[in-house]
Structures are given as C-alpha cells and as structure tokens.
Amino acid sequence: MPAPRFFLRPTVAASLLALHALTALAQTPPAEPASSGTLSTVTVEASADASAEGLTKPFAGGQVARGGRVGILGNQDMMDSPFSSTSYTHELIQNQQARSVADVLQNDPSVRVARGFGNFQESYFIRGFVVNSDDIAYNGLYGLLPRQYISSELFERVEVLRGASAFLNGATPTGGGIGGNINLLPKRAPNEPLTQVSLGTASGSQSYVSTDIARRFGPDQSVGIRLNAAHRDGGTGVNAEQVKLDVASVGFDWRSRNARISADIGHQEHRLSRTRPNVTLGAGVTRVPSAPDNQLNYAQPWTYSNERDTFGSVRGEYDITDNVTAWIAGGARKSHEGNSLAGLTVTNNLGAGNMSRFENQRQDNTRTAEAGVRGKFTTGPVNHTVVASYSYYQLKEKNAYKWDFFNNLKSNLYAPIGYPIPAYTASAFRGNDMDNPALLTQTRLSSLAIGDTLSFMDDRAQLTLGVRRQKLESTDFAYDSGKPTTYEKSRTSPMVGFVFKLQPQVSLYANYIEGLSKGDTAPTVSTSGAVRNAGTQLSPYVSKQKEIGIKYDGGRIGGGLAFFTTDKPRALINSAGYYVAEGKDRHQGLELTAFGEATKGLRVMGGITFLDAKQRATGDASTDGRRVIGIAKTQGTLGLEWDVPGVRGLSLDARAVSTGPSYADAANTLRVPGWTRFDIGARYLTEVAGKLVTVRARIDNLTNRNYWASVGGYPNNGYLVLGAPRTVTVSASVDF
C-alpha cells in the first residue's frame, strides 16, 4: 500500500500541526525564555535509548564523540577500546549541512567516497576496502536503511569503526566490512523540548524544507518521541540533473529503572533524473582522459533512478541484576528500486564512446534480529565483562532487467550527444518479468558470539578475547528458469584486543581480528579454456588484520596513530585449470587522526592516511605486486572551525580534502591524477522575536576544480566518477 502523500511531502504547516499535538500532550513546563542579552542554544543531544549508557559524550569542540559502539562490546570510551574509531555528532552534521552519509564521511581521513557499479549507490573505501551502503548498520542491525542513499534526517551520529569486524558485528550482507564498518545512530528526544524548522536552497535552484520536533512525557520524563521530516527538490550544479527527496521518521523511547525500549519507523523516497553516470574505460583507452568540465552532463535525457524504502526497528534492554543485562532487537525493511540507465564507456583517448540502454526493477524484503546478555563479575584481582549474543539476517531480493548491450548510442565525454529513448532490439538481454520481478537471491546470515574483557592493574590493562561462529547461507535463482544454486558454509572467527594505559591521557592498543565474506563459485570457462572444477563453491574468504596504535586524550585535543596490515584472499584459475582461493591483496597503512578544540573558539578535525595496497600472487605477472585499483598511497582531510572574536554568534569553517594518484586497472597502466578540494562555510546565530535563528552558508569545491573524485567501488573495476562542481548551499533554522 503506498504511503499517503502528506507523509511524503512534509511542510511547515504540517510540522506546526504536529507541534500543537505534542505540546498538548507533553507534561513538561516550558523552558524559561532567554534574556534579551543572551543567545540561547538548543541541545539536540539524545539522552535516552535502549541502553543504560545512552550516547557517549561529545569531545571538546562537539564535532566528534568520546567513543561509540564497538559491536557486541557495546559503547566504549575511545581510550578503552582496542580499535580505531570516530563518531561524528549531530552538531557537525547539521553545521556542515550534510545531506547524506557520504557528506559526513568527507571529514574522515581513512574514508573515501565512491559509487556503486552501474548505479548511483553511495559506497565507501575504508582503509582501501569497499563498504557498500547495503552493509551499513542502524543502531547495530544490518540491512534496515535504504541501500543506495541514506538521508541525514534519519540519523543522529555516524560511527566509523576502522578495520575488520567479523567478531564484533558478524559478516556483512554483501561481504564488505573488511576495512571497516559504519553504524548510524537513530535520533532520540533530548531532555529539553525541541521544535526546529529549516528552509534552504542550493546550486541548481534546489529547495529544501525540514522539521525536527521532540518532546518527553510523564512526570519523570520517561517517554520520548522525536519526529523528523524533510523535502528536497530541484536541480544540482550539474546541467539538467534533478534530485527529489521525501523522508520522514519517528523515534520513540521509554525507560524505567531496570528496563529500556526504543523503536523507529521511517520512509524515504529518493528520485534521480538524468544523473550523470559513471565512466568506464574501454579496451581502446591507453591513458586516462582528463576530467571534463564538472558541470557537463553526459547522461541520456530519459535516464532515472527511483528508490522507495520503508523500515522499522525495535530494541529492548533489561537489567536482570545490577551486574547482568539482557537485550533483544529486531527490524525489517521493504524497498523498491526502478532504474533506466546508460553508462558511458570511453573507447579511445579522445573521449569518444558509446552508451546502451539498461533497465531493472528490484524489490527487497529484509528481516534482522539480535539477542544477547552482558554480565560483570570478579575473579581475584581481575574484573570480567562477558558478553554473548545471537544474530540473524535474511534478505529476499527480487529482480528483473533488460539490457540492449549491442545497440550502441555514440557519444563523447567532452561533447555528449542526447538521443530519444531507443526501443529495445531483438538482441537485447532480458531476465525475468519487469512488471513482476522474480526471486533472484535469498541470503541468510546467522551467528553466535561470546567474548570476555578482562581488566586488571586497577583497569590500566584490558584484554579482550572473543569468538564468533558464523553461518553463511544463500540461494541464487537463475533468471527466467528459477533454477536454484545453494551456498552454505560456516566459519569461526576469533579476536584478541589489548589496551594498556601508560597514563590517563595515553593508551597503547593492539588487536588481531578477521573479516569474513562468502567465497566465490567457480566459473564454467575462462580465457584459457574450461574450468576443471566449474560450479565448485569456495570456502568463505577470511581476511586477517593486525593492528597496533596509540591514543591521546589531552582534554581539549585528542587523536590517535594506528599501524595496520590486512590480508584479503583472492581467487584465480591455477596452472592446472582449477578455480582456487590463492593470492591476496595486502593493505598496509599508517593513520593519524586529530580532533578537538585547539584553543577556545578554534576547533580542529582531520588527519592523514598512508596506504600501501598491493596485489600479491595473482597468477598473472602483469599484476603481481601492482597497486589495487582505485587506492591512493596518501589521502588526508583537515577541517578548521573558528568563532570570530568580536562578532557574537558568527563562526567560519574551512576544509581541505586531498587524495593522491591511483590506478584504474590492475596492471597499473591507467594512472588517475590525484586531487585536492577546498570547502568553506559560515554560521551565524542570532535571536529574532525571542526565537533562536541559525543561518548557515557553505561552498563545496570552492575553486570549482575538475577532477575524477573516485576510481572503482566494485571489485576489479576501475570506472571513474566525476567530481561535483562548485556547490553553494544556504539554509536557515528557527527554534520555536
């Protein structure tokens, strides 16, 4: 049943109506009005969730938090965790006018934003390994949020856990999570009433309206409700490109002395029209073409991508005793995607190329659940925190497609040619019924995990040991015939982590942890002939990570230095003609991160990553020892935010994002130039008629640089994505 249109198109009037209803129900006395000489601020920090700790506190400067969720180990302070992580706060998200997860992660020196293969899905390189949006967790559960684009109205914080995480989180739905995990935290009602309306505009005549309303109820404020809604519509800085977004969500929480419950329900519709596609380099290309004008659009006029998602989740936690807590969580998502696409394949060094029409329909139904128990006890001088959990994930994907591969439309990277939508020819590839997509894949992941954190020497030293038994099951159904092929394998993944506090301000840490993903199925033929074990299913790929590091908490400034090495298995056809798991990609790197408030009114955040990602024992002399596609040796980010002295309420910010050269092919013959992008912003807080008003302005890609923003994002593919042009965004928020 389609959602009502008033649900999809929130307006200021609808928001005020919701405010009136909430105000009538709330039993909270109104906040004291601000004095005429003081600018009041609204704390949008969540205070209650289905966990005793709630959110970790913000670090000095408010842009990142002191810690975050570390899988089944729960929330941990950054100085107590044997892993590298960063949690970006709602304050940062709002002040930078971030529209999605990708906008937030531009701040992370270990992350680079990419795009899915042949579509517009946001994907991310973390430590050089791809994490798809499918593999993002929502309050610890996979598969609940939209899989292509996640609007910032749906989350309070973005938590990045760097490194493999099979023990901490279990295997991800698509086998990512080798270089890191992303967890989004839902919004909760803060302690103080919140009513905020925002209006904005951006390059391309794009308009924006959103509301954020929250109240707590009851004499003890034990019940909270938070409503978020937004509508975005209009063009972008790219010629003829159009974006339309409708999103709404409701978050609920309740707490008592021994029990806590939270729940969320949300709906998002994201519609793209004539969005600029990826660029694939064909066999005739011997060098990477220079990036064209960043406003140029080589999309065909009839292309589009529409996504509609509805999701819900619930989480409960109960204190059985003072030292034993049990929890249970579950959620579901139903989504539909429809696309009409035409990617550009460049066939020579002058930018000439071709495009072909491709359409598909996809429907997803996801169910996920988790249950666990956490307890504390002491044996002699050692304190123990033991955790055990069971998790389950199921995805049913329906799909159908048409692809007119041989009906090429001639175009050019620098002088695009638009065509009327072509009719499909008899030679077009087809799979299933576009009007009634059939089941294509059914995936089930289940696991049982147990861990123990041992603390000794007055908690200066902590040793965490853990193991997870994971079962990977999937059934692929052939297009049209529905013939099934089943995969069912299990694997036990260990973990060990150690933290030692040299001083209260300095922690040393080390870890060994593995990543887990489904093994491939041997193909029928290869370039050298028939494969002798065609159809054989390889055991799960086990990635192995070793990491050591140091963390610093100076009160106002914090940061960390991490050295890691991760080996990811590869598959190849060996000299005897068998398809086997041999060779590996080895990613070795050094990460430096820093954040906080350097002096009063000057906030800093950023870092640099040095990464050596090489292919090893590939079975091909042309690729052995070569760099992995799309991975730069050096990348970094530096952001500064400054409260202007003498101008009360005015803050300025600037950010530089830099990425070194990379390669678009496994043999490293196609070198893609590096790039540096500069962004600036301003924020002004004032009071109008007793209401707090915040005006924000931002310019991304200040110098309007033409550059290839990413290379690849799908294994063994080096397609290019052109960076966005200079984009100006202006918004105003009013707190009633």
Side-chain angles (χ1 to χ4, degrees):
M1 177 179 177
R5 298 310 299 174
F6 71 83
F7 182 81
L8 302 179
R9 296 194 178 187
T11 64
V12 175
S15 303
L16 295 177
L17 181 62
L19 166 63
H20 176 76
L22 283 172
T23 304
L25 290 171
Q27 300 180 31
T28 305
E32 292 294 325
S35 64
S36 58
T38 304
L39 284 178
S40 60
T41 59
V42 175
T43 301
V44 195
E45 177 185 44
S47 60
D49 200 351
S51 64
E53 304 89 355
L55 289 179
T56 54
K57 298 299 181 183
F59 196 81
Q63 296 181 318
V64 302
R66 288 201 52 86
R69 178 189 288 270
V70 186
I72 65 168
L73 301 180
N75 282 341
Q76 290 189 340
D77 186 89
M78 65 181 191
M79 301 298 284
D80 296 325
S81 171
F83 301 96
S84 172
S85 64
T86 303
S87 179
Y88 297 97
T89 65
H90 182 267
E91 181 178 344
L92 173 76
I93 296 167
Q94 193 171 42
N95 286 341
Q96 292 189 350
Q97 302 183 78
R99 291 164 293 184
S100 68
V101 177
D103 286 347
V104 180
L105 294 183
Q106 295 284 1
N107 295 286
D108 198 296
S110 65
V111 180
R112 282 299 175 263
V113 178
R115 188 187 275 178
F117 180 71
N119 57 33
F120 307 113
Q121 181 183 43
E122 290 186 346
S123 297
Y124 319 93
F125 285 107
I126 306 180
R127 291 184 170 179
F129 295 104
V130 175
V131 177
N132 294 313
S133 292
D134 308 70
D135 295 335
I136 288 180
Y138 185 58
N139 208 12
L141 297 175
Y142 288 131
L144 293 183
L145 293 175
R147 60 175 293 272
Q148 297 232 22
Y149 177 92
I150 305 172
S151 172
S152 61
E153 280 76 21
L154 295 174
F155 51 85
E156 176 81 18
R157 287 184 179 177
V158 178
E159 298 180 333
V160 179
L161 177 67
R162 302 179 185 91
S165 60
F167 163 73
L168 297 172
N169 301 296
T172 64
T174 68
I178 297 171
N181 270 99
I182 301 168
N183 182 52
L184 307 182
L185 295 183
K187 293 183 176 181
R188 294 287 174 257
N191 290 324
E192 299 299 323
L194 169 67
T195 306
Q196 187 176 91
V197 176
S198 300
L199 299 171
T201 186
S203 297
S205 302
Q206 189 167 121
S207 60
Y208 169 76
V209 58
S210 72
T211 58
D212 190 353
I213 304 171
R215 294 292 187 273
R216 301 210 69 85
F217 304 92
D220 58 355
Q221 305 291 284
S222 61
V223 177
I225 298 178
R226 188 163 179 178
L227 297 87
N228 281 267
H231 174 73
R232 190 185 301 275
D233 195 5
T236 71
V238 178
N239 295 334
E241 193 175 85
Q242 296 283 319
V243 176
K244 190 172 185 180
L245 171 77
D246 288 300
V247 60
S249 66
V250 179
F252 163 86
D253 70 272
W254 169 84
R255 64 186 182 219
S256 69
R257 189 176 71 87
N258 295 324
R260 294 157 294 276
I261 297 174
S262 69
D264 300 274
I265 186 168
H267 183 87
Q268 177 183 289
E269 293 196 12
H270 189 226
R271 296 170 290 280
L272 305 175
S273 175
R274 204 172 181 176
T275 300
R276 187 165 58 196
N278 303 340
V279 175
T280 299
L281 303 180
V285 176
T286 59
R287 59 175 175 80
V288 173
S290 59
D293 184 285
N294 54 36
Q295 291 184 306
L296 191 67
N297 193 349
Y298 31 82
Q300 289 299 314
W302 36 266
T303 55
Y304 68 87
S305 179
N306 296 336
E307 181 185 21
R308 183 176 69 248
D309 297 87
T310 302
F311 66 90
S313 68
V314 62
R315 180 176 288 271
E317 188 175 273
Y318 182 73
D319 300 328
I320 301 172
T321 70
D322 289 343
N323 293 317
V324 179
T325 298
W327 80 86
I328 188 169
R333 171 177 61 92
K334 185 175 183 180
S335 67
H336 177 270
E337 299 173 24
N339 305 285
S340 180
L341 308 171
L344 175 62
T345 298
V346 174
T347 55
N348 67 26
N349 293 341
L350 300 178
N354 56 67
M355 314 177 84
S356 57
R357 183 182 176 189
F358 174 87
E359 290 183 304
N360 86 295
Q361 295 288 325
R362 173 171 172 158
Q363 298 173 8
D364 283 4
N365 278 281
T366 302
R367 303 288 184 271
T368 183
E370 181 187 54
V373 62
R374 182 178 292 109
K376 297 180 180 180
F377 63 92
T378 301
T379 57
V382 180
N383 297 320
H384 297 261
T385 301
V386 176
V387 61
S389 79
Y390 173 80
S391 65
Y392 178 82
Y393 169 90
Q394 176 181 282
L395 166 67
K396 292 183 178 180
E397 176 197 341
K398 295 182 177 180
N399 205 298
Y401 79 95
K402 293 181 181 178
W403 187 17
D404 215 351
F405 177 76
F406 296 107
N407 185 21
N408 290 327
L409 308 175
K410 302 299 181 183
S411 189
N412 190 286
L413 178 64
Y414 306 106
I417 303 172
Y419 295 87
I421 186 167
Y424 280 105
T425 65
S427 62
F429 298 104
R430 292 172 168 84
N432 294 336
D433 183 355
M434 293 285 288
D435 296 323
N436 185 26
L439 186 63
L440 180 68
T441 300
Q442 180 169 289
T443 301
R444 290 190 184 93
L445 307 174
S446 58
S447 67
L448 180 64
I450 186 168
D452 185 8
T453 298
L454 300 85
S455 302
F456 38 94
M457 297 177 61
D458 294 327
D459 290 340
R460 288 186 64 193
Q462 298 180 28
L463 174 65
T464 302
L465 304 172
V467 65
R468 182 184 292 265
R469 181 66 175 177
Q470 181 93 43
K471 188 175 184 180
L472 311 177
E473 300 176 85
S474 66
T475 303
D476 297 326
F477 300 89
Y479 282 105
D480 301 319
S481 70
K483 182 180 177 181
T485 301
T486 301
Y487 182 95
E488 183 175 333
K489 301 284 184 179
S490 297
R491 167 75 185 187
T492 300
S493 301
M495 187 279 293
V496 58
F498 183 71
V499 176
F500 181 73
K501 295 183 179 178
L502 289 175
Q503 301 173 1
Q505 301 84 11
V506 180
S507 287
L508 300 177
Y509 75 93
N511 67 64
Y512 171 82
I513 191 168
E514 296 180 350
L516 189 66
S517 57
K518 174 185 171 182
D520 291 321
T521 300
T524 303
V525 295
S526 70
T527 54
S528 57
V531 177
R532 299 186 67 176
N533 61 336
T536 299
Q537 298 170 345
L538 300 184
S539 296
Y541 295 142
V542 178
S543 301
K544 299 180 179 181
Q545 173 190 289
K546 306 175 189 71
E547 179 178 352
I548 59 173
I550 184 170
K551 299 178 183 179
Y552 173 73
D553 177 6
R556 302 187 69 89
I557 289 291
L561 180 67
F563 174 75
F564 63 89
T565 178
T566 305
D567 290 339
K568 174 190 174 184
R570 300 173 60 98
L572 54 84
I573 298 171
N574 64 19
S575 58
Y578 290 93
Y579 190 72
V580 295
E582 286 186 8
K584 59 189 174 184
D585 290 343
R586 170 167 288 179
H587 292 213
Q588 295 185 122
L590 185 70
E591 293 171 343
L592 174 65
T593 57
F595 45 82
E597 195 168 29
T599 61
K600 186 173 177 58
L602 178 62
R603 293 167 288 281
V604 61
M605 180 175 59
I608 189 168
T609 297
F610 301 98
L611 186 58
D612 181 30
K614 296 284 183 64
Q615 307 168 73
R616 294 173 179 262
T618 64
D620 184 345
S622 69
T623 58
D624 271 351
R626 304 294 184 180
R627 285 164 56 186
V628 177
I629 290 174
I631 311 303
K633 286 186 176 180
T634 307
Q635 60 189 44
T637 303
L638 177 62
L640 298 172
E641 188 177 75
W642 180 49
D643 298 334
V644 179
V647 186
R648 192 160 56 94
L650 177 62
S651 299
L652 305 177
D653 70 87
R655 181 178 67 186
V657 183
S658 183
T659 300
S662 61
Y663 288 96
D665 66 321
N668 291 185
T669 61
L670 299 174
R671 184 179 183 273
V672 183
W675 53 271
T676 299
R677 192 187 90 186
F678 298 98
D679 310 321
I680 62 171
R683 180 175 76 256
Y684 182 63
L685 281 73
T686 187
E687 205 167 86
V688 179
K691 309 297 182 185
L692 180 67
V693 177
T694 307
V695 179
R696 298 179 176 90
R698 186 166 189 83
I699 304 176
D700 290 321
N701 192 8
L702 176 66
T703 61
N704 203 30
R705 177 164 186 170
N706 303 321
Y707 66 101
W708 294 117
S710 67
V711 183
Y714 188 84
N716 303 316
N717 282 269
Y719 52 87
L720 308 175
V721 177
L722 187 62
R726 179 190 296 121
T727 302
V728 180
T729 307
V730 179
S731 69
S733 300
V734 182
D735 293 290
F736 291 93

